[in-house]
Amino acid sequence: MLRVSGIVQGVGFRPFVYRIATKTGLKGHIRNMGGSEVEILIEGSYDSVAEFLKLLFMEKPPPARIEELEFKVVPPAGYSDFSILPSGGERHVYSMIPPDIAVCDHCLREVYDPSDRHYRYAFNSCAWCGPRFSMMMNVPYDRQNTAMVDFPLCDDCRREYEDPSNLRRFHAQGISCPQCGPSLWLEDSRGERLDVRDPLGEAAKIIDEGGIVAIKGLGGYHIACLATDDDTVSELRKRKRRREKPFALMALDLDIARLHFYLDEIAESVLTSPERPILLVPRREGSPISDLVAPGLGTVGVMLPYTPLHHMLINGTRDKILVMTSGNEHNKPMCTTIECARERLRDIADYFLHHNRRIVNRVDDSVVRFTAGRITMLRRGRGYAPAWIRLPSKLDRPIIAFGAELQTSGAVGFSDKVVLTQYIGDTDELENLEFLERMLRFFTGIYGIDPAKAVLVADMHPSYSTRKLAERWAGIYGAELELVQHHHAHITSVMSEMRITPGDKIVGVAVDGLGYGDDGTLWGGEVLVASYERYERIGHLKPQPMPGGDRASKYPVRMLIGILSTFLSESEIREILRERGLIDKLPRGEVEVDFTLRQCPRAPVISSVGRVLDSVSALLGICFERTYEGEPAMKLEAFAEGGSLIHDMSIPVKGGVVDTSELLKQILYSEESKRDLAFTSIYLLGLALGEVALRALDRADSDVVAVSGGAAVNTLLIRGMEDVLGREGVKLVLNSKVPPGDGGIALGQVAAQLGDG
Ligand SMILES: [Zn+2]
Ligand SMILES: [Zn+2]
């Protein structure tokens, strides 16, 4: 008897095992055991079993992953054939909701084969590929629990579904064809249906002519248009009210992507993976991609098509690479219904390509990037969510975690598993908060978690709407509410990925934008010695005045004035702002400078890496307004590319406090190039935090330093830390399964409940 665990459900694993068992002449059965486990019982000769095992590994469906294999010899029961049994096992075992899987090569070949009955069929899928989570209403993954329940199988599809010799369609829950499956149509912005035979081909033509088209896809609507035409991209920016935030692109295949971007082997394997995320890659000089796609950034986000619909659409265009950005109104969640698209996207899109398969769960495209040579996640959505993450030990009670505030996600935890919701967005927007609440209800329902008996976990920040939501749930259900400090949660998220044992202490560095500290001040550049349950703040960046609070995050010149006020007089600051042309970089100019200066002495203080990088970005004339999260720091990082280290600069560290005023002072009076100054500033911040971490190591049980937080994707910052740690043979570990930013914080919030054993 075999027990196989891993990704073995929703990927055609049972029919596959049926096939190889029959082929090798074995008798017995296979059944789902709930969870991510199947049980296989086989009887037969030694040679047949050996052959079976070989095939099990060699020929398994591509999306299947075998993580563990348990082997037990049991007395023969005298089976007469091999069969697929109904799901069984203990009911308390949970079933994993499979993430969506990008279209496989076989399905793609069929849609381009005029002799195949799936020719030009935009919804072609099989056991190895296609939508899962985005169309699932319940578990297990059976057709009646998905949006495909609206499309009964036709006779041809039923025959394939029931045919054990049909490798990819036997028992495949989501299959359909042009006769029985969903269909596409094209509308104009008034909702009038266009009478065209080939809506996909027509949409491609409209795009080629400079039109902007809303496309209903897998987890929501996209907005597609030419990526090579400045006028079109700038028109899209105007209509979307999106001044600077980069747009993602979709390229037909690797050959097209290689024309525009530098791709190495790892990049190519990420782009073609079944998760098919958006990957940030450096642009080739001379690529005709418009500069307006990602202004001021050295990299562009690109993905490959993950449904036949997208593939055929892009293939029908002249460039074979398009802007493919999410179809939402400014700050609102991406549309998933036809009604939402008609109402909210009519001022953005000229035409709409709709289809009639319901999108049950909104999933945004995932975004990953390279950080100091590793792949790190910026947004965890389609392809990854809601696969569960294993904890190093079991939780005492189920947990419901509400995450942070911006670009966040929630989570539920039970047994030794954490299920993060898909990327939710900024929960200061009510609709996103409602989306979070809906998904938390969905997952607590699916995994049988009673909120009254669970521990609810929220961030300490008193004004986060997610904390208020958690408090509301605590009131409704009479459940216990735990608050976890923001940066502690960042560190415990890495600790759980590293499978640190409860009770063990580790040195963690949280490099972040902004989080609420346990002393009531704002934190964001912290060195902690932490276990899951406790932490001690060993060091941090110097707390700097943040005149005007949130407004200082939006306008970095304010933050710059705040830091300068710690070592310069008012008149000196004015002089510097005038010389560098920074006064009118504040919306109200001179008046705002006066006001900001007056706010400094009483301003809240913040020890954040993000705000220091913002100030450097403003001082060097790179970015003066944050129109999207992290913009000034990201543009600074992009600007620093190709710079080199200025050796006579250094940031003093005293008593664990990194003196960032001194950094600004050195930049002010330096004659070096702006590029080198940008490079050196980021690198030295990393170096200084690395030194503090190094000194804290003797208080920890592990000689590895965990780094997390929104700025933990900044390559130069990580290099700085890594260089100082590396000299002492100390390894630095970043998040790999969840974003180091606030999209991964819910994992840390759950992990913090592991306690200290
Ligand atoms: Zn397929
Ligand atoms: Zn059919």
Side-chain angles (χ1 to χ4, degrees):
M1 193 181 70
L2 301 169
R3 260 180 196 261
V4 187
S5 58
I7 302 178
V8 289
Q9 292 186 7
V11 290
F13 196 74
R14 281 176 301 165
F16 156 72
V17 168
Y18 175 93
R19 230 178 37 84
I20 58 169
T22 326
K23 192 167 157 190
T24 49
L26 293 170
K27 316 262 189 267
H29 71 242
I30 175 167
R31 61 172 164 178
N32 274 347
M33 298 306 287
S36 44
E37 245 180 46
V38 294
E39 177 193 273
I40 305 170
L41 208 136
I42 36 175
E43 290 180 9
S45 71
Y46 178 85
D47 284 351
S48 311
V49 172
E51 177 66 11
F52 175 88
L53 287 176
K54 199 182 94 193
L55 294 175
L56 186 69
F57 281 91
M58 306 284 286
E59 291 183 5
K60 66 178 164 47
R65 216 170 296 154
I66 297 176
E67 283 169 3
E68 285 164 44
L69 186 77
E70 246 178 74
F71 196 89
K72 202 162 86 188
V73 179
V74 292
Y79 282 90
S80 59
D81 61 357
F82 192 90
S83 56
I84 299 181
L85 296 185
S87 300
E90 312 90 294
R91 218 12 249 166
H92 69 266
V93 181
Y94 308 96
S95 190
M96 188 199 272
I97 305 175
D100 301 293
I101 311 167
V103 58
C104 73
D105 292 344
H106 304 271
C107 283
L108 259 191
R109 246 194 312 272
E110 288 167 353
V111 304
Y112 285 108
D113 175 3
S115 69
D116 192 282
R117 66 187 196 89
H118 303 92
Y119 179 57
R120 288 203 58 80
Y121 181 51
F123 304 92
N124 198 23
S125 75
C126 69
W128 299 351
C129 75
R132 300 285 187 274
F133 173 51
S134 64
M135 66 170 187
M136 283 177 72
M137 299 173 281
N138 208 340
V139 285
Y141 173 59
D142 288 331
R143 194 175 182 97
Q144 75 265 19
N145 287 335
T146 73
M148 290 307 287
V149 71
D150 302 342
F151 306 95
L153 292 174
C154 68
D155 290 346
D156 287 340
C157 285
R158 171 147 311 272
R159 247 193 307 280
E160 292 182 330
Y161 181 83
E162 286 168 356
D163 175 8
S165 69
N166 192 315
L167 196 52
R168 287 166 38 243
R169 292 205 166 86
F170 176 51
H171 270 267
Q173 300 301 325
I175 58 167
S176 61
C177 75
Q179 264 63 54
C180 62
S183 53
L184 285 165
W185 70 95
L186 201 56
E187 276 181 16
D188 66 17
S189 54
R190 289 163 313 187
E192 302 280 340
R193 202 164 169 145
L194 270 66
D195 183 23
V196 291
R197 238 194 47 223
D198 175 16
L200 253 181
E202 199 61 32
K205 266 185 230 151
I206 293 169
I207 290 171
D208 271 352
E209 286 159 11
I212 295 175
V213 182
I215 317 269
K216 186 176 182 184
L218 184 127
Y221 275 81
H222 278 121
I223 305 283
C225 71
L226 290 176
T228 51
D229 182 58
D230 285 351
D231 292 340
T232 306
V233 180
S234 114
E235 178 63 25
L236 177 61
R237 287 208 171 275
K238 211 161 63 201
R239 292 191 198 173
K240 268 204 107 187
R241 295 200 290 135
R242 183 150 147 163
R243 275 152 56 197
E244 297 278 316
K245 194 176 178 188
F247 289 133
L249 304 179
M250 191 183 270
L252 181 68
D253 52 26
L254 282 180
D255 286 339
I256 299 292
R258 282 189 207 109
L259 292 177
H260 301 279
F261 310 103
Y262 293 103
L263 306 178
D264 61 13
E265 226 173 282
I266 301 171
E268 294 188 355
S269 73
V270 170
L271 283 172
T272 52
S273 69
E275 290 85 7
R276 209 89 22 126
I278 296 169
L279 173 69
L280 306 193
V281 286
R283 217 181 105 168
R284 279 184 194 277
E285 301 80 41
S287 154
I289 300 294
S290 166
D291 288 334
L292 300 173
V293 165
L297 300 173
T299 57
V300 179
V302 65
M303 62 183 146
L304 299 187
Y306 49 86
T307 70
L309 189 164
H310 293 116
H311 201 278
M312 289 188 285
L313 174 79
I314 307 260
N315 199 25
T317 63
R318 102 191 158 211
D319 293 340
K320 317 267 186 243
I321 182 165
L322 298 178
V323 167
M324 194 62 79
T325 184
S326 51
N328 61 330
E329 222 176 1
H330 195 61
N331 289 337
K332 304 275 190 205
M334 171 172 67
C335 284
T336 54
T337 63
I338 295 170
E339 296 71 40
C340 173
R342 279 182 187 144
E343 185 191 317
R344 294 190 171 179
L345 306 181
R346 66 169 171 228
D347 295 332
I348 299 174
D350 302 310
Y351 291 91
F352 292 79
L353 186 63
H354 296 299
H355 64 68
N356 57 348
R357 186 177 64 211
R358 283 180 286 157
I359 296 174
V360 177
N361 294 307
R362 175 188 298 121
V363 256
D364 287 85
D365 295 317
S366 297
V367 186
V368 300
R369 65 166 278 175
F370 284 96
T371 301
R374 313 152 165 88
I375 289 286
T376 49
M377 208 170 262
L378 295 174
R379 191 205 277 171
R380 187 173 180 273
R382 179 187 47 76
Y384 300 96
W388 59 40
I389 296 165
R390 290 274 180 95
L391 292 170
S393 64
K394 281 192 176 165
L395 295 158
D396 295 338
R397 281 196 281 167
I399 313 288
I400 305 172
F402 289 74
E405 183 82 342
L406 301 180
Q407 301 187 17
T408 192
S409 63
V412 296
F414 50 88
S415 180
D416 64 342
K417 299 173 182 73
V418 183
V419 177
L420 251 73
T421 68
Q422 69 274 46
Y423 167 83
I424 298 289
D426 297 348
T427 51
D428 56 351
E429 165 62 50
L430 183 64
E431 283 185 42
N432 289 323
L433 188 68
E434 288 167 350
F435 176 31
L436 173 71
E437 184 170 21
R438 197 164 62 245
M439 291 321 297
L440 287 176
R441 284 200 195 285
F442 178 80
F443 288 113
T444 48
I446 293 255
Y447 293 113
I449 296 169
D450 176 0
K453 294 185 186 131
V455 180
L456 312 183
V457 192
D459 195 279
M460 262 183 188
H461 202 302
S463 56
Y464 276 5
S465 48
T466 50
R467 172 170 167 184
K468 290 174 187 158
L469 179 64
E471 285 167 349
R472 189 149 52 77
W473 277 42
I476 295 171
Y477 297 104
E480 188 185 320
L481 176 67
E482 285 278 337
L483 300 178
V484 179
Q485 199 280 325
H486 192 88
H487 303 103
H488 183 217
H490 275 314
I491 300 307
T492 55
S493 78
V494 196
M495 287 170 63
S496 66
E497 287 194 27
M498 293 165 71
R499 307 189 68 77
I500 298 287
T501 311
D504 279 5
K505 284 189 285 187
I506 187 170
V507 173
V509 185
V511 285
D512 206 14
L514 182 154
Y516 195 78
D518 59 23
D519 57 358
T521 71
L522 296 169
W523 293 7
E526 313 302 316
V527 180
L528 309 177
V529 171
S531 63
Y532 289 112
E533 198 167 325
R534 294 165 231 281
Y535 64 91
E536 202 185 333
R537 192 187 190 201
I538 299 296
H540 52 88
L541 299 192
K542 178 179 169 177
Q544 298 284 9
M546 192 184 181
D550 280 351
R551 202 168 161 84
S553 302
K554 185 151 174 55
Y555 298 104
V557 174
R558 273 181 167 260
M559 193 63 218
L560 173 66
I561 294 174
I563 301 183
L564 296 182
S565 77
T566 61
F567 62 92
L568 293 176
S569 70
E570 282 200 11
S571 59
E572 286 169 322
I573 296 174
R574 281 179 207 281
E575 184 55 33
I576 284 161
L577 296 178
R578 194 165 304 120
E579 264 173 23
R580 300 199 175 221
L582 295 177
I583 291 171
D584 54 11
K585 301 301 180 199
L586 284 173
R588 287 178 291 133
E590 199 85 52
V591 180
E592 191 159 355
V593 172
D594 290 345
F595 194 61
T596 308
L597 281 167
R598 255 180 293 143
Q599 283 176 321
C600 285
R602 283 166 287 103
V605 291
I606 184 163
S607 56
S608 140
V609 170
R611 290 303 90 82
V612 173
L613 295 177
D614 288 0
S615 311
V616 174
S617 192
L619 182 60
L620 295 178
I622 294 158
C623 183
F624 310 105
E625 185 183 344
R626 188 197 66 184
T627 68
Y628 58 90
E629 186 74 3
E631 177 179 357
M634 279 164 66
K635 288 189 169 168
L636 180 70
E637 187 194 3
F639 184 83
E641 178 81 31
S644 45
L645 189 64
I646 303 167
H647 286 281
D648 58 3
M649 275 177 73
S650 70
I651 311 180
V653 181
K654 244 185 275 155
V657 179
V658 178
D659 189 353
T660 46
S661 293
E662 186 61 32
L663 171 67
L664 271 286
K665 198 186 287 176
Q666 291 179 23
I667 299 172
L668 269 181
Y669 303 116
S670 173
E671 306 272 291
E672 304 286 343
S673 80
K674 283 186 180 178
R675 191 167 309 278
D676 290 350
L677 284 168
F679 180 99
T680 305
S681 306
I682 307 174
Y683 182 85
L684 287 183
L685 272 175
L687 210 66
L689 285 166
E691 277 167 26
V692 180
L694 202 55
R695 273 179 247 155
L697 269 178
D698 54 352
R699 309 165 72 156
D701 301 311
S702 160
D703 58 355
V704 173
V705 170
V707 182
S708 188
V713 294
N714 187 315
T715 291
L716 276 175
L717 192 70
I718 298 301
R719 284 259 153 80
M721 276 186 247
E722 211 157 34
D723 284 354
V724 67
L725 295 171
R727 261 177 250 145
E728 305 293 323
V730 176
K731 228 179 109 193
L732 181 155
V733 181
L734 298 173
N735 294 91
S736 59
K737 296 191 176 108
V738 301
D742 290 358
I745 215 154
L747 172 62
Q749 290 177 338
V750 175
Q753 310 309 314
L754 284 172
D756 281 350

